[in-house]
Amino acid sequence: MLFRSDGLFSGKPRERVLEIMRDSRIGTFGALALILSVGLRTGSLASLADGAAALVAVHALSRGWLPWLMWQDAPARSDGLAADAGKPEQANVFWAAGFGLAIAAITIGPLAALLAAAVAAAAALVIAALARKRLGGYTGDTLGAAEQVAEIGALLVLTTI
């Protein structure tokens, strides 16, 4: 998850990063990520007229991109939850993204949903690229981080429209 990001954002070698990410203790970067995440969500939701609808929409959008990330990359290691989950079929990837977008369009409207989806996808792809560069693929933690960053990005864009 985003909160166990200490390894991902360090300058340590790949093997050490993967070891740190398996550690359940929270470090400095993880604590800062937690504070920033909660603060951005709270501020965004407080500024929206219909925070409940926005929350449903961004949850659906941010989770709808995860199968895409799993489909385009490989797990960073051969064991763990990410490796055990396997690679989704292409049809399921598109169904997940489409279903997430449909839920968002119903709850916040089509234009807002498209804008939030674009930002959520971009945010998730940035985390995926970082994980690919640093780890050679994704882990359950990096998928969780991608979801969290996508959700926050989508919430932030909703506060501007």
Side-chain angles (χ1 to χ4, degrees):
M1 283 196 356
L2 183 64
F3 313 126
R4 288 197 282 178
S5 57
D6 293 279
L8 191 60
F9 296 111
S10 72
K12 296 178 177 18
R14 177 185 182 273
E15 294 74 27
R16 180 68 180 127
V17 171
L18 290 170
E19 181 183 323
I20 290 169
M21 291 175 78
R22 277 227 165 118
D23 188 344
S24 63
R25 295 173 293 175
I26 191 167
T28 305
F29 286 117
L32 290 172
L34 178 62
I35 292 166
L36 186 62
S37 173
V38 171
L40 287 170
R41 286 169 210 268
T42 304
S44 296
L45 288 170
S47 70
L48 293 170
D50 191 356
L55 196 56
V56 168
V58 299
H59 277 320
L61 288 172
S62 63
R63 284 157 180 80
W65 292 119
L66 295 182
W68 175 269
L69 300 179
M70 294 172 69
W71 180 63
Q72 76 171 4
D73 280 334
R77 54 178 153 226
S78 60
D79 63 336
L81 291 177
D84 290 346
K87 188 176 272 299
E89 295 180 16
Q90 185 176 12
N92 293 338
V93 169
F94 292 111
W95 273 107
F99 193 59
L101 184 58
I103 290 172
I106 291 167
T107 56
I108 60 174
L111 180 59
L114 286 174
L115 290 171
V119 171
L125 288 172
V126 166
I127 298 298
L130 178 62
R132 189 179 316 113
K133 181 179 178 181
R134 291 281 290 130
L135 306 174
Y138 64 87
T139 67
D141 284 343
T142 63
L143 289 174
E147 184 278 326
Q148 295 287 295
V149 171
E151 188 175 291
I152 291 167
L155 270 174
L156 290 175
V157 80
L158 291 178
T159 64
T160 64
I161 56 174

